[in-house]
């Protein structure tokens, strides 16, 4: 009875689909993956996208029989919202929203409201202010980073065999989701204004999805206006039914006595309903990373394409594409904003059969210590339309103080991608990557600023995902914490890491991609004694990757880790290139090397049984 599912997803199985039951023999996959040119073009990509809704079905019944209506907006003639009108939803739209539980007698829905209006509402109702350069300064309240421990995935029959269940993807039952969803709608019904933002995720029309955000804060609506791909008036008029809906009632807590709740915060995704509910956190980053989790599921499973936590840019002269993988704070945004290259995107991409496309329509840059000298593109993107989140400002001049971490170290700016002067719009390239740069922020100061990886080392490091958690990005993280964040994306991956790793190895072999490991973290000592690798040197290294200079350099082996490191590179002090020479205290260095190598061994044990011996041996040898 529950399959009157409006947005039922039906598609030809993707190549990745054949591994739908896990544990699967990962070793076979990776062994196959590292042989060159084994990648066949995706069957799924030849079929038309499967997310087309069934326009006749809107009522959904869940297993327990609770009727549930999707708040569709079908009317075509209201791209704008106006304060003057009691509601800009008319006819069937009103009906759908009220059937979905929205109190249309009471609330006013503002759909894709103009930026100026969102500014006005945020200032009037949320205490926002305008910064000296015109950005909207806003605050997310108690939570100023993501809450991974409160993230849940609904356990249901359409996706249960695909999901990598565990501490990242914690199970929630369908009924609890319904309770929280209802709680979110009930809360939204108490607001005078409810904002709806309709936009796309994914710049390649073949693989994009339609996302609807329903929220109570103008700041959240503006955030998603910046982070999703903004539809044209015509696209908005013909938007139809969304493929994925976010109900953000972040100001209102979850009921801690609801089954499975660990706190008053809940961030939950239901792949059957294609919905997300947010309670008890107003940190805007939850929404963009929620969309990313959905793409980490849909792209491999439904489309046979590889989603990656990466930034991407393209050379202006050669047209060469680089992907920068990395967990939060490792430098994806900073290093991909490069005056000599066009920015495809700063955080979430899909490596498809035909090239690379950005999932988002904007960037979410860190503002800590932001300066015009060091990061001019990002600094100048802080203007009308951008959101400064949790940034301290001078109350008289309204000038932001990027060095003040009084609220959080995780200060942010969300801006539309076109605010970066060299943005490649549309953010898609029909060209395969030439270079992959894996960014790690090593708090032990052990890994070299740059090393060239073999394909096996690339698989090893991608699966291990060694880096540090940056202070502030996750609730409770107060200093850089070494972590093994598989696929450099652990909080957002939905499938077993081996499925992404296998697709990556296939694509890298097929397109002969060079891979580099860059440590943007500590050097000449660990966190506390050493210092972070100066940005100017990392930039110089990245330039040398792009010019081809580094590929031609002379290399030496960095023992224990077996990494190939350049002996010299003009513009970077020679002693910095080899951590052994950079550390003044050699004994302390050797101790840290052994410690980190041991941690790698322990972390990789999770995958050891399943990978080819060559991949296993590509890690540190202790
Ligand atoms: N060597 C370096 N390389 C890259 N970023 C660095 C470096 N040293 C310091 N940083 C700082 O680290 C932060 C990197 O953040 P960001 O680029 O937003 O990371 P991500 O996009 O991966 O989350 C920025 O604040 C940047 O100024
Ligand atoms: C927004 C986040 O990541 P990033 O810093 O990579 O943008 C996050 O991890 O919440």
């Amino acid at each position: 009875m529950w399959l009157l599912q409006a947005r039922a997803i039906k598609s030809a199985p993707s190549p990745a689909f054949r591994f739908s039951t896990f544990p699967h023999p990962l070793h076979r996959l990776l062994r196959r993956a590292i042989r060159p040119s084994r990648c066949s073009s995706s069957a799924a990509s030849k079929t038309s996208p499967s997310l087309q809704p069934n326009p006749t079905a809107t009522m959904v019944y869940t297993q327990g029989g609770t009727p549930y209506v999707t708040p569709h907006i079908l009317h075509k003639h209201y791209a704008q919202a106006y304060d003057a009108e009691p509601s800009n939803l008319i006819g069937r739209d009103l009906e759908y929203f009220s059937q979905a539980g929205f109190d249309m007698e009471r609330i006013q829905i503002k759909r894709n409201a103009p930026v100026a209006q969102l500014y006005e509402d945020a200032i009037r109702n949320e205490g926002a202010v305008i910064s000296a350069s015109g950005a909207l300064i806003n605050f997310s309240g108690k939570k100023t980073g993501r809450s991974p421990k409160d993230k849940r995935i609904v356990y249901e029959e359409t996706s249960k065999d695909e999901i990598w269940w565990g501490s990242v993807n914690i199970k929630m039952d369908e009924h609890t989701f319904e309770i929280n969803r209802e709680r979110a709608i009930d809360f939204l019904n108490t607001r005078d204004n409810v904002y709806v933002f309709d936009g796309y995720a994914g710049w390649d029309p073949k693989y994009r999805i339609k996302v609807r955000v329903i929220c109570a804060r103008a700041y959240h609506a503006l955030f998603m206006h910046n982070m999703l791909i903004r539809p044209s008036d015509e696209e908005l008029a013909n938007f139809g039914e969304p493929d994925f809906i976010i109900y953000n009632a972040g100001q209102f807590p979850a009921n801690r006595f609801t089954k499975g709740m660990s706190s008053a915060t809940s961030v939950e995704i239901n792949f059957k309903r294609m919905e997300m509910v947010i309670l008890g956190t107003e940190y805007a980053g939850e929404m963009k990373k929620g969309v990313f989790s959905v793409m980490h599921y849909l792209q491999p499973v439904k489309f046979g394409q590889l989603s990656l936590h990466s930034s991407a840019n393209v050379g202006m002269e050669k047209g060469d594409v680089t992907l920068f993988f990395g967990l939060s704070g490792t430098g994806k945004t900073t290093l991909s904003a490069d005056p000599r290259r066009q920015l495809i995107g700063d955080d979430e991409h899909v490596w498809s059969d035909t090239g690379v496309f950005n999932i988002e329509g904007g960037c979410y840059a860190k503002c800590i210590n932001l300066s015009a000298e060091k990061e001019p593109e990002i600094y100048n993107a802080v203007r009308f339309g951008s959101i400064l989140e949790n940034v301290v400002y001078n109350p008289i001049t309204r000038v932001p103080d990027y060095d003040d971490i009084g609220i959080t170290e995780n200060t942010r700016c969300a801006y539309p991608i076109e605010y970066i002067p060299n943005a490649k719009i549309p953010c898609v390239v029909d060209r395969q990557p030439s270079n992959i740069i894996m960014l790690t922020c090593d708090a032990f100061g052990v890994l070299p600023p740059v090393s060239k990886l073999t394909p096996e080392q690339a698989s090893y490091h991608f699966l291990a995902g060694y880096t540090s958690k940056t202070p502030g990005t996750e609730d409770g993280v107060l200093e850089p914490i070494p972590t093994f964040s598989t696929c450099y994306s652990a909080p957002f991956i939905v499938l077993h890491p081996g499925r992404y790793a296998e697709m990556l190895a296939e694509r890298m072999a097929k397109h002969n991609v060079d891979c580099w490991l860059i440590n943007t973290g500590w050097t000449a000592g660990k966190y506390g004694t050493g210092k972070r690798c100066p940005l100017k040197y990392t930039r110089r290294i990245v330039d040398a990757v792009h010019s081809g200079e580094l590929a031609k350099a002379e290399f030496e082996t960095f023992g224990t880790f077996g990494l190939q490191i350049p002996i010299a590179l003009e513009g970077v002090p020679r002693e910095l290139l080899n951590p052994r020479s950079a550390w003044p205290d050699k004994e302390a260095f050797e101790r840290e090397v052994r410690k980190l190598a041991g941690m790698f061994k322990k972390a990789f044990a999770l995958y050891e049984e399943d990978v080819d011996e060559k991949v296993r041996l590509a890690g540190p040898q202790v």
Side-chain angles (χ1 to χ4, degrees), residues 122-145:
I123 291 165
R124 200 183 299 134
N125 306 324
E126 299 170 26
V129 296
I130 301 181
S131 82
S133 66
L136 187 74
I137 303 183
N138 230 319
F139 302 92
S140 67
K142 209 163 87 187
K143 299 273 176 167
T144 53

Side-chain angles (χ1 to χ4, degrees), residues 475-511:
D475 202 26
V477 176
L478 303 175
E479 58 177 48
I481 298 181
T483 185
F484 288 85
S485 186
T486 186
C487 309
Y488 298 106
S489 187
F492 322 113
I493 64 165
V494 178
L495 314 179
H496 188 277
R499 290 175 69 175
Y500 305 102
E502 187 224 0
M503 292 177 85
L504 177 70
E506 279 185 352
R507 279 163 157 74
M508 284 180 63
K510 181 173 182 197
H511 302 293

Side-chain angles (χ1 to χ4, degrees), residues 5 25-26 31 91 117 133 163 314 322 341 534 565 594 597:
Q5 170 63 284
L26 183 60
R31 190 175 299 140
Q117 189 184 40
S133 66
I163 312 293
V314 49
T322 295
R341 300 176 67 81
I565 57 175
R594 284 195 299 276

Side-chain angles (χ1 to χ4, degrees), residues 146 283 288-289 309 328-329 332 347 364 412 473 492:
R146 274 183 301 101
Y283 176 60
K288 77 161 230 138
K289 289 301 199 205
H309 191 208
S328 179
K332 295 185 301 298
D347 197 42
Y364 191 35
R412 296 276 182 163
T473 313
F492 322 113

Side-chain angles (χ1 to χ4, degrees), residues 170-188:
I170 304 169
K171 287 178 191 169
M172 166 180 273
D173 64 70
E174 288 187 271
H175 187 56
T176 303
F177 179 84
E178 280 172 354
I179 290 173
N180 286 343
R181 181 184 179 280
E182 184 117 325
R183 192 170 171 95
I185 292 177
D186 285 348
F187 169 75
L188 290 166

Side-chain angles (χ1 to χ4, degrees), residues 438-457:
M438 296 183 179
L439 299 171
T440 176
C441 181
D442 175 16
F444 287 109
V446 163
L447 294 181
V450 60
S451 3
K452 186 164 193 321
L453 301 186
T454 63
E456 293 79 13
Q457 286 175 328

Side-chain angles (χ1 to χ4, degrees), residues 70-330:
T70 305
H72 302 307
I73 299 179
L74 295 182
H75 198 269
K76 294 188 183 351
H77 305 296
Y78 55 90
Q80 303 294 313
Y82 298 103
D83 270 343
E85 292 179 19
S87 167
N88 45 344
L89 295 177
I90 46 173
R92 291 185 68 188
D93 316 318
L94 246 171
E95 203 180 299
Y96 284 135
F97 264 74
S98 40
Q99 282 176 18
F102 286 91
D103 183 353
M104 301 307 287
E105 301 282 304
R106 192 183 180 281
I107 60 172
Q108 180 179 358
I109 290 194
K110 296 179 177 174
R111 181 195 188 213
N112 289 51
V115 172
Q117 189 184 40
L118 294 173
Y119 263 57
E120 288 161 14
D121 284 11
I123 291 165
R124 200 183 299 134
N125 306 324
E126 299 170 26
V129 296
I130 301 181
S131 82
S133 66
L136 187 74
I137 303 183
N138 230 319
F139 302 92
S140 67
K142 209 163 87 187
K143 299 273 176 167
T144 53
R146 274 183 301 101
S147 305
K149 294 193 187 95
D150 300 309
K151 184 181 151 192
R152 300 285 182 275
I153 303 286
V154 174
Y155 187 83
E156 46 77 21
E157 71 281 1
T158 70
S159 65
K160 68 178 170 48
D161 295 333
E162 303 285 351
I163 312 293
W164 190 41
W165 298 109
S167 58
V168 169
N169 297 303
I170 304 169
K171 287 178 191 169
M172 166 180 273
D173 64 70
E174 288 187 271
H175 187 56
T176 303
F177 179 84
E178 280 172 354
I179 290 173
N180 286 343
R181 181 184 179 280
E182 184 117 325
R183 192 170 171 95
I185 292 177
D186 285 348
F187 169 75
L188 290 166
N189 278 333
T190 67
R191 306 292 93 189
D192 291 334
N193 292 312
V194 171
Y195 301 90
V196 172
F197 182 77
D198 286 340
Y200 301 106
W203 278 88
D204 186 332
K206 288 200 295 296
Y207 306 118
R208 79 180 178 191
I209 62 166
K210 293 185 281 181
V211 178
R212 167 161 300 159
V213 182
I214 306 176
C215 56
R217 288 191 68 175
Y219 138 55
H220 287 154
L222 182 55
F223 178 84
M224 288 310 270
H225 167 105
N226 288 350
M227 298 311 300
L228 287 172
I229 300 162
R230 292 158 288 286
S232 65
D233 286 351
E234 199 191 335
E235 285 171 330
L236 192 58
N238 297 306
F239 198 75
E241 296 179 21
D243 300 309
F244 180 64
I245 300 180
I246 299 175
Y247 300 88
N248 187 343
Q251 298 108 296
F252 200 63
N255 182 336
R256 288 177 299 118
F257 299 104
T258 308
K259 194 172 145 206
M261 293 294 96
S262 46
S263 76
T265 300
S266 184
V267 176
E268 54 208 71
I269 297 176
N270 184 329
F271 288 116
K272 185 163 98 186
R273 287 183 161 179
M274 289 302 284
E275 291 187 335
M276 177 182 194
V277 169
I278 300 176
L279 289 165
T281 171
E282 295 168 69
Y283 176 60
E286 294 286 6
M287 291 184 284
K288 77 161 230 138
K289 289 301 199 205
V291 172
F292 188 38
S293 295
V294 168
M295 291 302 247
H296 254 345
Y297 172 74
L298 289 179
Q299 292 298 327
V301 172
K302 302 296 175 189
F303 296 135
Q305 308 302 325
L306 175 60
S307 45
L308 293 162
H309 191 208
S310 82
S311 59
N313 64 19
V314 49
M316 288 187 200
E317 281 165 27
K318 294 192 281 180
D320 59 304
V321 174
T322 295
L323 296 175
F324 303 76
F325 301 173
L327 200 65
S328 179
T330 52

